[in-house]
Amino acid sequence: MPGQRKRKKRQREALARQADRFGPDAGRWEVLYSTQDEPTLRAEMRRLFAGRPDLGEDEIRVDVLCGRLVHPTTYRLSVFVPFDAGPVDAGPVDAGPIDAEPIDAGPIDAGRPQEA
């Protein structure tokens, strides 16, 4: 396909720049907000972008911790903080209602037959 080599080369170069900029030696990801409500997360993202216009989209990370029956889906909003910068003002953190007790499933091999 025409242009595929150039396009792939640009993608590799962009990934390399991103790895250099956001690698483990450059800084850390700091959790700003955690919620179980997606519209609340979107509102918090709008507030964050409005309050910090210098913040780029690549400096934001949204982690979706997939839920199960006991643990509901949780959304975490993180921002990249370079090592030379101080802590980020996170404001109040809403962890959401988590009333369930953790389940102890026992050892992993509990369901396997024992060897003699």
Side-chain angles (χ1 to χ4, degrees):
M1 296 186 119
Q4 185 173 2
R5 183 177 300 170
K6 289 181 189 177
R7 184 174 52 250
K8 287 189 175 188
K9 182 180 178 184
R10 282 193 311 258
Q11 288 174 344
R12 281 193 305 271
E13 290 171 352
L15 285 174
R17 282 192 307 272
Q18 186 176 10
D20 290 341
R21 185 172 175 201
F22 299 114
D25 296 336
R28 68 189 185 283
W29 289 97
E30 190 169 305
V31 176
L32 292 181
Y33 191 74
S34 179
T35 185
Q36 295 173 356
D37 186 35
E38 188 175 358
T40 307
L41 173 74
R42 292 185 189 279
E44 182 65 23
M45 288 179 64
R46 284 192 296 272
R47 185 189 70 79
L48 181 65
F49 281 122
R52 296 183 54 193
D54 61 323
L55 194 63
E57 288 184 5
D58 55 346
E59 297 176 56
I60 295 291
R61 185 174 80 185
V62 176
D63 299 318
V64 180
L65 307 174
C66 296
R68 299 287 188 261
L69 294 174
V70 177
H71 303 287
T73 300
T74 302
Y75 303 95
R76 284 192 323 199
L77 177 64
S78 302
V79 66
F80 186 78
V81 180
F83 283 131
D84 59 353
V88 176
D89 179 24
V93 176
D94 177 24
I98 300 178
D99 298 332
E101 293 293 322
I103 298 174
D104 181 20
I108 295 174
D109 61 346
R112 297 183 187 160
Q114 297 295 324
E115 294 181 16

